[in-house]
Amino acid sequence: MSPAGRPRTFDMEAVLESAMLLFWERGYESTSLAQLREATGLSSASLYGAFGSKEGLFEKAVEHYVAGPGRVTDVVADEEISPREAVAGLLHGSVSMQTDPSHPRGCLVALTGTVRLPGAEDAGVREVVAARRAVDRARIRACAVRGIAAGELAEDTDADAVTSMVHGFLLGISTQVCDGVPAAHLHAAADALLVNWGAPER
């Protein structure tokens, strides 16, 4: 229900999809309210009534992204497959998603809202994407710990170092994609990273 008690007359999923694509393409700071109104078809009153602010809409757009294209990273938390398979799925799936021509290139979480914007009013924007990156990092670390326990990684492997290596690669995909690095090169780079992540000990 809207704040006035009336049902909304717009398609929430369609609005979030349009806002997500715009933030993904342009970034948070350079996306104006006028552009958001045009993309979503909402009036200022409807936008503020439903989301409270541009920042509120961004937060919901990020949630929409995480549940949509961004869910490709969820594979790293799948404990029903081997740790190596999970990391391989994370990296190769992310390369495929970020180079998909059907939507903006790169990763919304890696590219949008990461620059320190002026003013405390924009702190929430950074926190939204930082929180998602923290989730990915924690999942990667858990996968590294599983890899050590399974014998895929040496017993004395530094799980934090492995986490930073994999997460750094994951975040770096966006920059390379935006610079025009072909998907084939990025898939090959992911395979190179996985060379030292062996199969389980028998």
Side-chain angles (χ1 to χ4, degrees), residues 118-143:
E121 69 275 10
D122 289 322
V125 172
R126 297 189 297 275
E127 291 170 359
V128 166
V129 290
R132 179 59 196 187
R133 291 194 297 271
V135 168
D136 286 338
R137 184 177 179 87
R139 287 174 166 181
I140 292 168
R141 190 183 191 285
C143 200

Side-chain angles (χ1 to χ4, degrees), residues 138-181:
R139 287 174 166 181
I140 292 168
R141 190 183 191 285
C143 200
V145 170
R146 282 206 303 127
I148 295 169
E152 292 183 356
L153 297 169
E155 188 176 347
D156 62 351
T157 296
D158 184 335
D160 291 322
V162 171
T163 300
S164 291
M165 176 179 66
V166 174
H167 196 219
F169 183 96
L170 181 68
L171 294 175
I173 292 171
S174 290
T175 302
Q176 297 196 63
V177 165
C178 291
D179 285 346
V181 176

Side-chain angles (χ1 to χ4, degrees), residues 15 44 68 92 108 121 133 173:
V15 165
S44 294
H92 287 295
L108 184 151
E121 69 275 10
R133 291 194 297 271
I173 292 171

